[in-house]
Amino acid sequence: MGKLNIAAVFLMLMFVSISEALVVDISKHGARQNADIAQALTKAFKEACASTTKSKVVIPKGTYKLSAVKLLGPCKAPIEIQVQATLIASTEKITEPCWVSFNHVDNLTVSGGGVFDGKGPKVWGGLVQGVTSKDSKQFHVNVIGCTDLHFVRFTISAPHESINTDGIHIGRSTGIKVLDSNIKTGDDCVSLGDGNQQITVERVTCGPGHGFSIGSLGKYQDEAPVIGVTIRNCTLTNTTNGVRIKTWPASHEGIASDMHFEDIIMNHVENPVLIDQVYCPWNQCNAKLPSKVKISKVTFKNIRGTSSTPVAVKLSCSPGHPCQGVELSNIDLTYTGKEAPAAISQCCHVKPKVSGRMNPKACTATV
């Protein structure tokens, strides 16, 4: 009986040992404060990635420089990057499309309350991705071809005059969630390109910025459909747009369907509710030809607040493919300027289904 007890204890100790997470501090690989840690971070990540049990790479408190780095998978088990530090990007223009890149890594967690400082005012170009993203050079985060990636309590900070600094851009991805986050930037707070499915943006504050945008779509041939987008319980303040879907005229064929905007507060927003199928910046397109992107199953529900322009609701759909299944429910938007006595709605090539309170009065024309 005694031998059996010893064996059982031994097996239990083996199980505890095997299940413990591997923790790799970057200082083990030569990282020093105020020095470039790209090489040390790459080595630490490689060591952790090779672990057959879950692992964690720790960047401890302090200030470190970080040049462009690619962290490559696949990894053998779930991996966490715990950033407690402030990471400072080079002020030189970057040649890589991303500053910090994770490639072929499943079950990745980024945590720790640290800051990725992109030093964007020097050049406004590049990408910053992390718990806090400050002054990115271009897109703060670019999510391309990802599955089941979540951003929680994510902070983005850049001034309204920063150029092309989309907060989180998502393309050809599935199951992406942006939750409980605060985004201040010079372009779209969250932008969605083609090929996205089952995207959720919830409890996010946006402003300054260009709001939440789906598109622009239809510019390129063979764009994948956008299906299943929900943006709810969000607040936008002093943004140039609220919630919008935009496609190019004279476009290639495309599909955007099952998109829902619910429980949203607008504070002094220029275009609170917008479908724009004649999106043509700088007049670099043939606006006389209709968009071929088919928009359907769109709901705008429980949207309230103030518009800084008279047209609070604008549904400008394609004459070639009129919008189908657009619903407006419980809209209460007040115009705060002096150009008109009240907010108005405009509709082209759509006949929305209307229910509940409607301010401004909903347009019902199909042309």
Side-chain angles (χ1 to χ4, degrees), residues 21-332:
L22 172 68
V23 178
V24 183
D25 192 304
I26 60 169
S27 60
K28 172 185 175 182
H29 292 281
R32 298 291 182 269
Q33 290 200 35
N34 300 310
D36 191 341
I37 63 167
Q39 186 174 2
L41 177 57
T42 300
K43 290 180 179 180
F45 183 87
K46 185 176 181 180
E47 178 184 348
C49 190
S51 173
T52 55
T53 60
K54 63 181 181 179
S55 60
K56 179 190 297 183
V57 175
V58 177
I59 305 177
K61 291 182 178 180
T63 300
Y64 302 88
K65 296 178 182 178
L66 181 61
S67 55
V69 62
K70 291 183 179 180
L71 303 176
L72 305 177
C75 296
K76 295 182 179 179
I79 187 168
E80 178 179 357
I81 310 298
Q82 188 178 90
V83 183
Q84 303 172 6
T86 296
L87 304 179
I88 308 295
S90 168
T91 56
E92 299 294 326
K93 284 186 177 290
I94 60 174
T95 57
E96 297 291 337
C98 301
W99 172 27
V100 181
S101 171
F102 298 96
N103 296 338
H104 308 294
V105 181
D106 294 330
N107 297 314
L108 169 69
T109 301
V110 180
S111 66
V115 175
F116 289 79
D117 188 343
K119 290 300 177 185
K122 298 292 183 180
V123 293
W124 292 124
L127 170 70
V128 179
Q129 179 176 340
V131 176
T132 296
S133 178
K134 176 184 176 185
D135 291 344
S136 172
K137 297 177 175 70
Q138 290 182 7
F139 288 5
H140 288 260
V141 175
N142 199 357
V143 180
I144 302 296
C146 294
T147 302
D148 296 329
L149 178 62
H150 299 177
F151 295 87
V152 181
R153 294 185 296 278
F154 191 76
T155 300
I156 290 174
S157 176
H160 69 89
E161 68 271 14
S162 58
I163 300 171
N164 294 327
T165 54
D166 286 38
I168 300 176
H169 177 74
I170 305 170
R172 295 182 177 259
S173 296
T174 301
I176 309 302
K177 294 185 178 181
V178 183
L179 309 173
D180 302 301
S181 297
N182 184 12
I183 302 176
K184 300 178 180 180
T185 192
D187 211 296
D188 294 333
C189 289
V190 178
S191 59
L192 306 179
D194 75 293
N196 287 304
Q197 297 191 33
Q198 307 310 317
I199 308 298
T200 301
V201 178
E202 193 167 356
R203 298 184 301 278
V204 173
T205 60
C206 166
H210 293 181
F212 302 118
S213 290
I214 299 174
S216 54
L217 303 175
K219 186 174 183 179
Y220 303 103
Q221 192 170 6
D222 298 325
E223 290 185 353
V226 176
I227 299 176
V229 176
T230 299
I231 299 177
R232 67 160 68 98
N233 291 325
C234 294
T235 300
L236 300 96
T237 303
N238 295 325
T239 55
T240 54
N241 296 287
V243 290
R244 67 172 170 169
I245 305 167
K246 54 180 180 175
T247 75
W248 292 84
S251 73
H252 297 281
E253 294 183 354
I255 294 173
S257 181
D258 195 18
M259 297 169 288
H260 308 283
F261 308 92
E262 304 174 355
D263 302 309
I264 296 173
I265 297 174
M266 307 282 185
N267 295 318
H268 201 68
V269 173
E270 289 186 24
N271 302 290
V273 175
L274 179 60
I275 295 178
D276 183 5
Q277 291 207 262
V278 289
Y279 176 75
C280 186
W282 311 292
N283 294 318
Q284 295 182 354
C285 55
N286 188 347
K288 295 181 180 180
L289 296 178
S291 172
K292 295 181 181 178
V293 178
K294 299 178 182 179
I295 294 177
S296 64
K297 298 181 182 178
V298 183
T299 60
F300 300 97
K301 181 179 179 181
N302 298 333
I303 298 177
R304 62 193 187 277
T306 56
S307 172
S308 61
T309 55
V311 183
V313 177
K314 184 174 183 179
L315 309 178
S316 184
C317 295
S318 169
H321 296 283
C323 298
Q324 302 292 324
V326 176
E327 298 185 16
L328 300 171
S329 176
N330 294 324
I331 308 296
D332 189 1

Side-chain angles (χ1 to χ4, degrees), residues 10-23 51-55 77-78:
F10 177 73
L11 289 172
M12 290 176 62
L13 290 173
M14 282 186 63
F15 177 79
V16 171
S17 177
I18 291 173
S19 63
E20 285 183 347
L22 172 68
V23 178
S51 173
T52 55
T53 60
K54 63 181 181 179
S55 60

